[in-house]
Amino acid sequence: MQALKDEIASAIGRLLTERYGQAPERIVVEYPPQTGMGDLASPVAFEMAKRLRKAPRAIAAELAAGLPAIPGVARVEAGGAGYLNVFLDRAAAVRALAREVSTPPAAPSGDKVIVEHTNINPNKAAHIGHLRNAVLGDTLARCLRFFGRRVEVQNYIDDTGVQVADIVIGFRDLLKQGAAEAAAFTGRFDHFCWDLYARVTEMYAARPETRALRQEVLKALEERHGPIAALADVITHRIVNCHLDTMGRIGVRYDLLPWEHDILAFRFWDHAFALLKEKRAIEHVGEGARSGCWVMALEGERFADLKEGEKIIVRSNGTVTYVGKDIAYQLWKFGLLRSDFRYAPFRDGSDGQRVWATTSGPGEAAHPQFGTAARVYNVIDVRQGYLQAIVAEGLRALGHRDQADRSVHFSYEMVALTPASAERLGIPLTDEDRRRPTIEMSGRRGLGVKADDLLDALEAGALAEVEARNADLPAGERGALARAIAVGALRYFMIKYTRNKVLAFDFDEALSFEGESGPYVQYAIVRAAGIFEKMAAAGGPDQEAAARAALEEAFDLPEGEAAEEHWSLVTQVARCRETVEQAVEALELSQIAKYAFALAQRFNSFYHKYPVMKEPDPRWQRARIVVTWLFLAQMRRLVDLIGIPVPSRM
RNA sequence: GCGCCCAUAGCUCAGCUGGAUAGAGCGUCGGACUACGAAUCCGAAGGUCGCAAGUUCGAGUCUUGCUGGGCGCACCA
């Protein structure tokens, strides 16, 4: 559809130039609000009216009469106060759409794109905020792959930070346990750590002197030796496996897990530090409060919130800040570090896909090539916007302006709890809290909704619905349906909101399977598929037959409301690719969700009004089979981009 | 103090590069199932798009100011 829009726009442009010697720089071609106004429309005559001192309606009429034939366009008319309305050749459009939908996505080629997402501290269970991150990142990766890009998904594991230090202290000082005990633990390890982490926070509050334990543990984590490091190793590996399990439940996959301790082990920072010094991007502070630090000077409005006008990259004790490590990591992602990790398989997923990890061990020689991307998306919440800007500025200071521009912070707002949801979790609220729009979650205090718990609740809810409708199915199959529906509900919920809006988590809304939800979209697909199942069982056409019919469809229906309703479903189906392109361009994946829902809505309405199997007139029946198949085939591709599975029945 | 984000129906939210009568879902009220499966469909009520100027043939959308709310501005990550 986009190609046709461009063609129409340039045809209008040529005609305007030819006739009046001028044309607007950009000619808008859009979708009219009503079906009677054509399939595409341009308000270009309004803009030309003032330039030419001529009535817009007259200009539109001249354009309509003067436009040459455009393949795919049946006719062009002037409409309204001066719109140019374009009517498509319906038979040609249906056949073109059938070809598009039958064509498998392009094989990956060209420059690599890295999508970094999830990045959960490996010290506790994932919560619903992490789900928003992972679903956004995973959906972006799926969309990029759909467009034939080479995509590498990375999940950065920060195993040398304060949060890991705290959980290590929990095991060692509160539980008096070491690596062996942590390894022997049975049960949901990440959920256990969720509570233990909160107990550590309580300990710090009750006995502030215990905070000093952190320094010793952090040092051991960086140096990676001794019982502390062994304990940390067990904890972080177990937690990362838990996170992969949780994300695996909703179909999220990774190619590579870069471990922060490997960034240290391979001295990425030393290389980056040398480069930064060489380019004079950072300077040593000789005196004052920051004496002994290395700082990066930052100017301009975007850093106006920086108090000192400079950011500390290396502390006076010689250790590197997070920003410094991230600059090194970003350089590696773009292949600018002239040094690489070693790699080893981390584990193989149930889908047969292998997850790799960096390693300081011997590694495996035969590994895929990692890093060296032309473009990088960092899926990180909006609160880190300023740190991300500093990292990009670091790349610029080193002369890598292009890479800085292609290092995209895919930012999104927080997931918080509505006061009602918080109270349901047993979080004590003050009257002031209750008046607030949202209550922030706190992993540190153990306040929040764990990802697994939400998924469990969704599966239980879905199972109850499945059992009410499909008592005949074996239990295993019912469970599989419930899981698919739960994933659909969750993934839809996580991308339906605009990314820069705080997601106020409400249990009833998240657990809803009706209205604007993933299951609604799934249900429409199941219904469409059901038609072909029933028809084929009765000796009628199956999906393959429908596909063949669509490729040669004449789409010649008697004029009237019914024909318009069939046609408008076709045009809606045709906007898929264009919608996904725009969504990726704007990093506004909610547009894909909204489109999928609107399309499902239109189909459900169509389904109710126009029976396929019972239709006696073969011309109408044929058209309905084709339209239903176009919807089904397109919708399958679309929900796959969002990671929503298609249940066999509902 | 400085910077970023948000404000649209009772509630939760859409509204694409400015374009024809501002749309969904939930909730409320009223209808449609011995079925291509009602997790659905049809209908009704419900909005001075936070306020005020400005740009424009045209503003929910762009500019400026204001009001209210959220977040950020560490030798934490």
Side-chain angles (χ1 to χ4, degrees):
Chain A
M1 205 60 116
Q2 184 63 52
L4 194 52
K5 275 173 151 182
D6 294 344
E7 237 173 283
I8 292 165
S10 63
I12 293 171
R14 280 194 301 273
L15 181 58
L16 285 171
T17 311
E18 178 189 310
R19 191 150 301 183
Y20 305 112
Q22 56 176 310
E25 325 70 69
R26 204 177 62 250
I27 293 167
V28 174
V29 177
E30 60 196 2
Y31 297 106
Q34 279 176 30
T35 48
M37 300 163 174
D39 303 307
L40 293 168
S42 178
V44 68
F46 293 101
E47 194 166 349
M48 293 305 290
K50 62 172 184 273
R51 297 199 199 187
L52 303 173
R53 293 163 175 271
K54 201 166 173 176
R57 178 84 198 191
I59 297 171
E62 280 184 39
L63 286 172
L67 273 176
I70 299 168
V73 173
R75 63 178 205 280
V76 182
E77 292 174 359
Y83 287 90
L84 198 61
N85 292 337
V86 179
F87 296 79
L88 301 185
D89 176 341
R90 298 185 175 185
V94 167
R95 292 192 297 264
L97 183 55
R99 278 194 299 277
E100 181 198 319
V101 170
S102 311
T103 308
S109 67
D111 292 336
K112 184 194 281 179
V113 182
I114 288 176
V115 178
E116 180 196 339
H117 67 77
T118 304
N119 298 12
I120 312 170
N121 277 306
N123 72 324
K124 60 175 179 307
H127 60 60
I128 52 178
H130 302 122
L131 286 177
R132 189 178 199 182
N133 182 303
V135 171
L136 286 172
D138 187 65
T139 302
L140 176 64
R142 286 165 182 260
C143 290
L144 292 169
R145 278 193 208 105
F146 176 71
F147 291 125
R149 310 294 299 271
R150 283 172 59 212
V151 180
E152 180 175 311
V153 177
Q154 300 188 359
N155 174 9
Y156 184 80
I157 312 294
D158 175 9
D159 63 328
T160 62
V162 177
Q163 296 216 25
V164 168
D166 286 346
I167 197 70
V168 166
I169 288 165
F171 273 90
R172 191 191 64 170
D173 298 282
L174 284 176
L175 303 179
K176 311 292 181 198
Q177 290 186 359
E181 289 95 332
F185 177 91
T186 54
R188 279 181 154 174
F189 187 76
D190 56 338
H191 291 218
F192 175 75
C193 290
W194 175 278
D195 295 327
L196 181 58
Y197 182 43
R199 283 176 58 196
V200 174
T201 304
E202 286 165 16
M203 177 184 78
Y204 289 154
R207 295 187 287 140
E209 74 282 1
T210 55
R211 285 174 186 275
L213 295 169
R214 271 184 183 166
Q215 293 317 310
E216 175 204 356
V217 172
L218 278 169
K219 193 162 181 287
L221 291 182
E222 290 210 5
E223 291 168 358
R224 288 207 99 210
H225 62 69
I228 292 175
L231 173 58
D233 221 47
V234 170
I235 295 170
T236 56
H237 276 77
R238 286 200 70 168
I239 298 264
V240 167
N241 272 297
C242 290
H243 291 164
L244 295 187
D245 290 341
T246 301
M247 295 307 171
R249 291 177 76 179
I250 58 168
V252 174
R253 299 279 182 273
Y254 311 92
D255 296 305
L256 178 67
L257 311 177
W259 287 74
E260 184 157 283
H261 71 246
D262 286 323
I263 293 210
L264 301 173
F266 287 95
R267 303 194 161 276
F268 277 17
W269 168 245
D270 293 347
H271 292 103
F273 194 25
L275 287 171
L276 287 163
K277 282 192 281 196
E278 186 186 315
K279 299 278 183 184
R280 299 186 172 279
I282 59 175
E283 55 189 43
H284 192 252
V285 180
E287 54 190 25
R290 301 181 156 199
S291 175
C293 295
W294 287 83
V295 300
M296 186 188 297
L298 295 161
E299 291 165 0
E301 201 169 283
R302 61 197 301 196
F303 299 114
D305 52 356
L306 199 64
K307 279 199 178 111
E308 315 289 340
E310 58 186 29
K311 174 74 190 171
I312 291 171
I313 305 297
V314 180
R315 304 183 187 100
S316 54
N317 68 2
T319 57
V320 197
T321 60
Y322 158 77
V323 172
K325 280 184 267 191
D326 209 22
I327 289 172
Y329 179 35
Q330 287 292 320
L331 286 169
W332 170 79
K333 284 189 203 162
F334 283 110
L336 298 170
L337 209 54
R338 292 193 295 274
S339 109
D340 201 0
F341 296 106
R342 284 195 293 273
Y343 306 93
F346 188 77
R347 74 178 205 183
D348 293 323
S350 53
D351 55 359
Q353 200 182 317
R354 175 163 288 187
V355 184
W356 291 77
T358 61
T359 180
S360 346
E364 199 164 293
H367 62 78
Q369 187 227 30
F370 294 110
T372 318
R375 193 174 181 81
V376 172
Y377 292 96
N378 301 309
V379 185
I380 309 177
D381 79 64
V382 67
R383 295 182 303 183
Q384 298 207 36
Y386 136 88
L387 288 177
Q388 283 294 303
I390 293 174
V391 171
E393 200 55 31
L395 294 187
R396 272 192 200 92
L398 288 170
H400 303 304
R401 306 194 71 86
D402 288 348
Q403 284 84 352
D405 291 339
R406 288 190 227 116
S407 178
V408 181
H409 175 199
F410 182 176
S411 96
Y412 63 94
E413 263 290 357
M414 305 303 305
V415 178
L417 304 171
T418 60
S421 296
E423 292 205 291
R424 194 158 149 181
L425 287 171
I427 297 172
L429 298 184
T430 63
D431 285 344
E432 198 191 335
D433 285 337
R434 274 185 269 270
R435 282 192 294 273
R436 292 167 63 87
T438 55
I439 306 295
E440 200 182 336
M441 290 189 291
S442 168
R444 202 165 281 288
R445 293 195 292 149
L447 306 180
V449 180
K450 290 192 270 298
D452 285 319
D453 290 347
L454 176 59
L455 273 163
D456 291 347
L458 283 165
E459 284 180 14
L463 189 61
E465 301 282 340
V466 169
E467 281 174 344
R469 284 158 242 251
N470 299 286
D472 56 314
L473 289 178
E477 213 167 310
R478 291 198 301 248
L481 291 180
R483 281 193 296 277
I485 291 161
V487 172
L490 180 82
R491 292 197 60 138
Y492 189 91
F493 184 75
M494 285 296 164
I495 62 156
K496 71 185 275 198
Y497 299 100
T498 316
R499 65 183 163 101
N500 50 12
K501 209 163 235 171
V502 176
L503 199 167
F505 181 85
D506 178 81
F507 278 102
D508 294 331
E509 244 176 274
L511 293 172
S512 168
F513 298 143
E514 289 170 9
E516 195 195 336
S517 68
Y520 179 96
V521 176
Q522 291 173 312
Y523 188 54
I525 301 174
V526 168
R527 285 174 134 184
I531 292 175
F532 289 106
E533 233 171 80
K534 278 261 164 77
M535 271 196 304
D542 58 6
Q543 291 187 45
E544 281 179 35
R548 285 193 299 274
L551 287 166
E552 51 196 46
E553 175 60 27
F555 208 78
D556 179 27
L557 297 174
E559 277 182 40
E561 195 191 326
E564 293 312 304
E565 284 179 337
H566 285 61
W567 169 242
S568 78
L569 183 53
V570 172
T571 59
Q572 192 75 9
V573 169
R575 292 183 202 179
C576 180
R577 190 181 178 89
E578 181 184 342
T579 302
V580 176
E581 269 169 359
Q582 281 175 8
V584 169
E585 174 67 25
L587 290 179
E588 199 53 86
L589 305 181
S590 58
Q591 289 173 3
I592 303 176
K594 296 288 175 189
Y595 170 73
F597 174 67
L599 192 51
Q601 220 174 10
R602 210 176 263 254
F603 176 76
N604 272 334
S605 181
F606 178 85
Y607 174 93
H608 184 263
K609 196 163 175 184
Y610 300 110
V612 179
M613 289 182 74
K614 279 184 283 184
E615 172 57 44
D617 184 333
R619 191 161 54 152
W620 281 106
Q621 188 180 51
R622 186 181 155 93
R624 282 177 204 163
I625 288 170
V626 166
V627 169
T628 301
W629 178 77
L630 288 173
F631 164 79
L632 177 59
Q634 186 76 291
M635 207 52 168
R636 279 219 169 96
R637 304 196 322 167
L638 181 63
V639 295
D640 188 50
L641 294 180
I642 319 176
I644 293 180
V646 178
S648 53
R649 45 195 289 201
M650 281 181 80

